[in-house]
Amino acid sequence: MPNATAVINLDIEGPTISRHLYGHFAEHLGRCVYGGFWVGEDSPIPNEGGIRLDVVQALRALNIPNLRWPGGCFADEYHWKDGIGPHDQRPGMVNTHWGDVEENNHFGTHEFMALCELLGAEPYISGNVGSGTVQEMSEWVEYLTREGDSPMVRLRKANGRDEPWRVRFWGIGNETWGCGGNMRAEYSADLARQYATYCRDHGDNKLYRIASGASDDDYRWTETLMRQISCFGCEATPKNFFQGLSVHYYTMAGPWEAKGSATDFDTEDYYRTMVAARKIDTILAGHSTVMDIYDRGRTVGLVLDEWGTWWDVEPGTNPGFLFQQNSLRDALVAATHFDIFHQHAARLYMANIAQTVNVLQAMLLTDGDALVLTPTYHVFEMNKGHQDATSLAVHLRGDGIRRTVGDTELQTLSASASVKDGTLLISLSNLDAEEPAEVTLDLRGRSVGEPTARILTADRLQDHNTPGAPDAVSPRPFDDLKTTDRGLALTLPPHSFVTVRAPIR
Ligand code: AHR
């Protein structure tokens, strides 16, 4: 049986884990917004102003810190003025990216801001660069955040909202290298400077402007962006133009043309998935290194505002709706991503899972009035204590915690730790499909009190939750935890995720 030791120095504190690493994403795509978040006021499904209350209740338990909207690719064909005012007077449009279906614009700015208020989440608005104008984006910022009297303030008041909202996170385009305009990095960098200039801070509302960044390991894109926004020795430091730079990375078991099924996969597919998932470490390190060249003070945050698994759509569903099941494998992908995010906390400021409801690696799947919490949901819930906690480095050593997958080595034990308000939280994943792993938690520097633990696992990696079996994969108390003279010892079952909490004395 693999045998490992995780050394954690409880008295050597690392950077703070931004709570925004647990961010979310809602795009006008398939049934994420319509049918997911929003059912309309006349729906028999309990709602507040059209927003589904079961979805709100489930997400509130995750303390979701921010919600990105309206896309994704959709953001670059979205014109915000079509989504304000009385519903029956809002013009429709065609959602050309996702299913080629008609969008009635009933869920717009006011509905999104109401949703954020219900969730207790900060809004993250993704502005249209691909098919919009500087003026359109500038006016959206004014509409949302300005107080007093101005043309956009009067329009907002006419639509029933007197007070401005607080909006911090503002995306300047999305995937400008692809669906957001098929631009070159050089051109995209110029546009980012131009748009950022006119996205004003109104009053004391300070924007955190996020430029559209690279895909995967396209470090050249990041280098171009950082170089073109840098101005050594003059006032226009990167921080003045924008405060964050995005990157997107999705996990698949195969190539883009054959991503694989969400539930019909074998052990080899599983290991390939885990190798792809853990590649996020290399990707974050690569972009961070490039950013360090131009921004040694780390004033610009790296923002992974799309991540997660991307499988073939469920058979019989609209291919443009990106609806997929979510199994224990997805949960382990999320768990190991979070460990890696925590290790990159010094540069990584935000991450947004794609997407929150009914699309890609969702937290929640709805079917009419039924709602299912996915295995991924439970990882977010079990890990929420890491939000805004102080990271603690975990040094892993041991036998049998590596496995050869193709021409790569997969580390099958994944871990991270943090401390907040005197409570230690350790997350541990055994990514091995078949073997349990004995782990000693060698806790140094301070002593800990009585620990408690929870486990997320199932008989099969393919297991998932459905309306008929909503708790097939759900957390349970984990008692196999021994206190030793070194700290704690436990045996992680194959394909399992465990969180351990203990007071630090
Ligand atoms: O999340 C689905 C899509 O993936 C987004 O719209 C786009 O930004 C990315 O390519």
Side-chain angles (χ1 to χ4, degrees):
M1 185 188 315
N3 187 302
T5 300
V7 178
I8 307 175
N9 292 302
L10 302 177
D11 55 349
I12 303 180
E13 298 186 341
T16 300
I17 295 169
S18 161
R19 68 179 180 284
H20 293 292
L21 300 187
Y22 287 79
H24 283 262
F25 177 27
E27 180 165 12
H28 288 235
L29 193 178
R31 294 189 300 111
C32 182
V33 170
Y34 298 105
F37 280 108
W38 167 265
V39 285
E41 283 171 323
D42 299 332
S43 171
I45 296 173
N47 69 83
E48 186 170 323
I51 297 167
R52 271 185 91 129
L53 287 174
D54 53 353
V55 165
V56 168
Q57 189 191 6
L59 293 176
R60 281 189 71 89
L62 300 184
N63 291 349
I64 84 170
N66 70 73
L67 182 63
R68 179 174 183 246
W69 173 84
C73 296
F74 179 77
D76 279 293
E77 62 180 356
Y78 181 65
H79 299 285
W80 69 271
K81 283 185 184 164
D82 295 345
I84 54 174
H87 284 167
D88 61 0
Q89 289 169 31
R90 296 185 189 180
M93 63 178 282
V94 177
N95 188 335
T96 61
H97 282 292
W98 305 118
D100 212 33
V101 292
E102 192 167 340
E103 156 72 52
N104 63 17
N105 274 312
H106 284 191
F107 189 90
T109 299
H110 290 250
E111 291 78 10
F112 173 65
M113 297 306 290
L115 170 63
C116 289
E117 282 172 2
L118 285 173
L119 294 173
E122 282 193 64
Y124 169 9
I125 291 195
S126 189
N128 180 346
V129 170
S131 71
T133 64
V134 177
Q135 180 181 358
E136 182 185 23
M137 195 185 292
S138 169
E139 287 182 341
W140 201 4
V141 177
E142 179 187 330
Y143 185 90
L144 280 156
T145 64
R146 193 172 173 88
E147 58 184 345
D149 191 35
S150 78
M152 289 303 113
V153 172
R154 286 193 286 280
L155 183 59
R156 187 186 71 224
K157 288 183 176 172
N159 287 326
R161 172 82 187 193
D162 286 348
E163 293 306 310
W165 290 281
R166 307 287 301 186
V167 179
R168 193 152 61 113
F169 301 121
W170 198 275
I172 298 172
N174 169 74
E175 298 193 350
T176 49
W177 42 264
C179 67
N182 285 308
M183 299 171 197
R184 294 170 306 111
E186 291 75 7
Y187 181 64
S188 183
D190 282 343
L191 285 188
R193 293 167 65 128
Q194 184 187 2
Y195 275 73
T197 304
Y198 296 96
C199 289
R200 305 287 190 196
D201 290 340
H202 292 282
D204 62 357
N205 187 80
K206 300 275 177 270
L207 291 181
Y208 184 98
R209 300 166 190 80
I210 301 164
S212 170
S215 171
D216 302 1
D217 56 2
D218 185 355
Y219 308 123
R220 197 192 78 81
W221 186 282
T222 296
E223 198 277 332
T224 304
L225 263 283
M226 291 303 293
R227 178 164 33 83
Q228 294 211 6
I229 59 157
S230 300
C231 181
F232 294 115
C234 68
E235 231 180 88
T237 61
K239 200 164 182 215
N240 294 121
F241 282 122
F242 49 80
Q243 292 69 43
L245 177 58
S246 75
V247 57
H248 291 177
Y249 178 70
Y250 284 97
T251 296
M252 298 160 204
W256 178 256
E257 310 71 48
K259 304 174 194 73
S261 158
T263 49
D264 185 10
F265 58 89
D266 60 23
T267 309
E268 276 183 29
D269 296 326
Y270 165 74
Y271 282 125
R272 273 204 308 278
T273 305
M274 287 303 142
V275 168
R278 287 192 58 83
K279 192 179 166 202
I280 190 64
D281 189 20
T282 310
I283 286 171
L284 294 177
H287 291 291
S288 300
T289 303
V290 172
M291 291 175 80
D292 284 348
I293 299 169
Y294 296 97
D295 176 37
R296 272 171 298 175
R298 294 186 175 152
T299 60
V300 179
L302 184 57
V303 173
L304 179 67
D305 53 13
E306 289 185 28
W307 70 274
T309 54
W310 194 325
W311 311 124
D312 298 337
V313 297
E314 286 302 304
T317 65
N318 186 328
F321 281 13
L322 308 187
F323 177 74
Q324 65 188 40
Q325 251 310 339
N326 193 297
S327 73
L328 177 62
R329 174 177 63 165
D330 295 81
L332 294 173
V333 167
T336 199
H337 267 74
F338 281 128
D339 293 333
I340 293 166
F341 291 172
H342 300 161
Q343 287 151 21
H344 288 275
R347 175 66 82 173
L348 188 66
Y349 180 67
M350 187 191 287
N352 302 71
I353 183 103
Q355 298 188 7
T356 309
V357 190
N358 290 335
V359 168
L360 299 177
Q361 191 174 353
M363 307 297 106
L364 308 174
L365 300 179
T366 66
D367 184 4
D369 62 357
L371 175 91
V372 162
L373 311 182
T374 65
T376 300
Y377 173 97
H378 295 301
V379 173
F380 275 69
E381 192 279 318
M382 291 166 75
N383 255 8
K384 69 184 177 189
H386 289 300
Q387 294 185 21
D388 281 342
T390 302
S391 60
L392 298 170
V394 179
H395 306 277
L396 284 174
R397 59 164 191 263
D399 298 323
I401 57 165
R402 285 176 192 281
R403 171 180 280 275
T404 303
V405 180
D407 54 6
T408 336
E409 283 248 296
L410 171 68
Q411 184 183 307
T412 53
L413 193 61
S414 178
S416 63
S418 71
V419 59
K420 186 166 77 175
D421 300 331
T423 300
L424 169 67
L425 174 60
I426 304 174
S427 299
L428 296 156
S429 301
N430 180 10
L431 305 181
D432 200 293
E434 291 120 5
E435 292 284 329
E438 268 179 13
V439 182
T440 299
L441 298 174
D442 185 345
L443 305 177
R444 302 181 181 181
R446 294 172 68 181
S447 56
V448 297
E450 191 62 32
T452 56
R454 289 197 293 164
I455 185 167
L456 186 73
T457 190
D459 290 345
R460 301 166 61 246
L461 278 159
Q462 294 78 2
D463 286 350
H464 54 276
N465 298 330
T466 60
D471 295 321
V473 189
S474 58
R476 315 205 187 281
F478 182 70
D479 300 326
D480 183 14
L481 199 61
K482 295 177 198 70
T483 302
T484 70
D485 52 352
R486 302 283 289 278
L488 300 169
L490 67 169
T491 301
L492 299 174
H495 52 74
S496 66
F497 172 61
V498 169
T499 51
V500 179
R501 293 168 64 86
I504 292 192
R505 290 197 286 248

